[in-house]
Every structure is written in structure tokens, then in C-alpha cells.
Amino acid sequence: MSKVTYKDAGVDLEVYDEAMTRLPRLMHRTFSPRVLKLDGGFAGLFQLDFSSRLFARNYRDPVLVACTDGVGTKLKVAQLCGKHDTVGIDLVAMSVNDALCCGAEPLLFLDYVAMSHDDPPVLEQLVQGVSDGCMQADCALLGGETAIMPDLYQRGDYDLAGFCVGVVERGQVIDGKAIAPGDALLGVASSGLHSNGYSLVRKVVFELSALTVSDHVECLGTTVGQALLTPTRIYAQPVRKILRHYRVKNVVHGLAHITGGGLRDNLERILPAGVQARIDPDSWRVPPVFAWLQQLGEIDDAEMERVFNMGIGLVLVVSPYYADSIQRMLTDHGLDNWPIGKIVAAA
């Protein structure tokens, strides 16, 4: 009887080592001088403050902000398409956009990739997406972990988890407490479905309608796979620009990332007692992917609004006096945005 090896159990350490050699360049491209070099270390080092003018923050009372999330069953679409270089952007977006809602500057990101078996090209694509997302978010991909678990995942399956750490001055934390009647609601366009509701999406598209990822959708001008894999929009750069511009004035009173639960549920998370959001449902342009999906599955309006973002990926609750100037800043950054309602006293 021959001796049993790790490879016999489904984990090939030589292939794993090859996969690991593909990743450092994808991390290093996201580094700023605030990252301290520690190649081969057991953790990553990030300098909170910096002496040069470009990176100096001179924090007085910094508060760390931490978020974690995944991509959900959108990963199954990526696996069907054989395209794995965009879901990493989704992974970064889901955590970074949450951190922004506290007014934080995203500093660093960590990823966790769990795979059924060693597959260096697929792993490289996944981390390429994470690296691209970190570039968009202006944060460092400081480290990560890859786990090979052949008995836990079917061959070809994988899962992703992400972790973002940011920082904000205590006096500039956005917690919704400043929201008051009269505040304007500014909705910022999503890029589409983002990364929520994909269990429903997949049931409607692939099970009930028997479509494939390569089928062309006339009303969208894309294939099914292209429409469903559009990455989640990352709002870090425009939001950080707005917050830096109004550093002295308390102009942005609340931020809501519109994910599972839809517009109303996510807005309610940041509203203080005594107020409510009055939303005009006809005030923004809903992307055609939602109408296509709703018609395909004969989904009720209420269910659509409860599951999906319906074209609004982020809401800023702002002082009405500054709403126009903030809208211009968002437009200058290439983001469609609309006044979608206002804050009123609770009935």
C-alpha cells in the first residue's frame, strides 16, 4: 500500500505555490507609501498617518470603521460564464460602500477565497477583480487568504469574502443623527443589479425562463451573462471628494448604501426618531434590466422594490441649501443622480 499524500486528498501544494506567485503584483499595484513593506510576513502593515504632504492626515481623534461582506450567488453566474475577473470588484464594493456611509476613508482591504481545488488562472482572475476594485476605491489590498477545501465545495465552486477597514475623525462620523425635516434626498445611479437578489434572478432567468448566459437580450443589447455580471458601482471617489470639500460645514447628514431590502429599508436604517423619508418613485430613471427581469418572472412591484436597488445604489441625505452643488459634483464625476424626495416629520 502506497503512502497517502495531501495531493491524494485533493490539495496539490505545488499548484498552490504556483497560484500564490501570481498574486503579489496584484496587491502591490494598490499600495501607497502608507503600506509598510513586509513581503512574506504573516500580516500586513498600514501606516495610519504619514509625514509627507501628499499623504498626511494629521488625525486628531481617529475612529476605525470596519465592514465585511460577500458577493452571494452572483458567483454562480460568474461560474456559468467562465468569467471570474469582475466579481472581485463586487466584493470590494459591497464593503467599501458600507464604510463610506459612516463618512470613512477606506484604507485597506483583505480578501478570503475558498475554492474546491487549486486553479491558478481562476484565482488570478478573482484577485485581479479585487485589485481593480481596490484601485477604484483608493484603498490597499493589504493581504488575503486562499483556502482549498475539496470536500466542502463541489469541483469548480468557490466563495469570496471581503473585509474593509477605514478611518474617520470622530467629529465627522456620519451616523444619521443630524437628519432633519427639510433635508434633501439625492439618489445616485447604480450600475444595475449590483450584488443583491441573485437567488431570485437565477431562478427567474435560468430555471423558469430556461435562458443561458450566452442568450442575447434585445432590450438590453447584451447577453444574459453580460447583463448579470455588470459589477457593483464603487462610490468611494465621488463621496470622498464631497466630504473633503465640505470638511468644515456639516452638509451631508446621512448616507445609505442601497443593497438587499431595497431603497426604503436601507434608508430607514439611518433615520433618527421623529422623521421619515418621502420618496418620489418617478423621479429617477430605472435601468432596463429591472423591467426585463420583472416581466420575465412576473414579479410584483412590491417584491422588486424590496429585493433590488431599482437603479439607486446610494442615497445622500443633505442640507437642501447645498443639494444643487453636490449634484453638480456627482455629475462632474460622471454619475447620474436625481433629487428623489425629502425628509419630513414623522406622521
Side-chain angles (χ1 to χ4, degrees), residues 75-276:
L75 297 179
K76 300 296 289 185
V77 181
Q79 291 160 19
L80 285 173
C81 292
K83 180 175 175 57
H84 312 283
D85 59 350
T86 60
V87 287
I89 299 175
D90 291 292
L91 185 68
V92 175
M94 296 306 287
S95 286
V96 163
N97 288 344
D98 280 355
L100 290 173
C101 291
C102 293
E105 173 196 4
L107 298 178
L108 58 96
F109 192 82
L110 305 171
D111 64 6
Y112 171 81
V113 185
M115 307 182 74
S116 64
H117 66 287
D118 291 294
D119 192 331
V122 169
L123 179 62
E124 185 176 18
Q125 286 187 56
L126 292 170
V127 180
Q128 177 72 55
V130 176
S131 178
D132 290 345
C134 286
M135 296 290 286
Q136 293 181 33
D138 288 333
C139 67
L141 176 54
L142 198 60
E145 174 67 11
T146 302
I148 307 302
M149 297 184 282
D151 294 329
L152 194 58
Y153 295 93
Q154 294 184 8
R155 190 166 185 85
D157 284 349
Y158 58 78
D159 197 9
L160 302 177
F163 314 87
C164 173
V165 175
V167 65
V168 60
E169 290 281 8
R170 184 183 297 272
Q172 295 173 350
V173 170
I174 298 174
D175 56 12
K177 292 180 181 177
I179 295 175
D183 282 352
L185 302 176
L186 301 181
V188 188
S190 69
S191 57
L193 293 167
H194 283 188
S195 297
N196 296 104
Y198 271 77
S199 294
L200 176 57
V201 170
R202 291 185 304 108
K203 183 176 182 64
V204 167
V205 174
F206 302 124
E207 184 178 329
L208 300 180
S209 303
L211 296 175
T212 70
V213 293
S214 59
D215 286 335
H216 184 78
V217 183
E218 190 68 31
C219 64
L220 303 181
T222 66
T223 65
V224 169
Q226 289 169 336
L228 300 188
L229 280 187
T230 301
T232 304
R233 178 162 281 153
I234 295 174
Y235 298 99
Q237 292 186 25
V239 169
R240 291 298 304 156
K241 182 178 180 181
I242 290 167
L243 296 180
R244 285 194 301 267
H245 185 77
Y246 295 107
R247 188 176 296 275
V248 177
K249 299 182 179 71
N250 180 21
V251 170
V252 179
H253 298 162
L255 285 160
H257 181 202
I258 310 306
T259 55
L263 180 57
R264 293 189 180 276
D265 283 2
N266 283 286
L267 254 179
E268 286 178 3
R269 294 171 61 178
I270 66 169
L271 296 182
V275 302
Q276 62 187 40

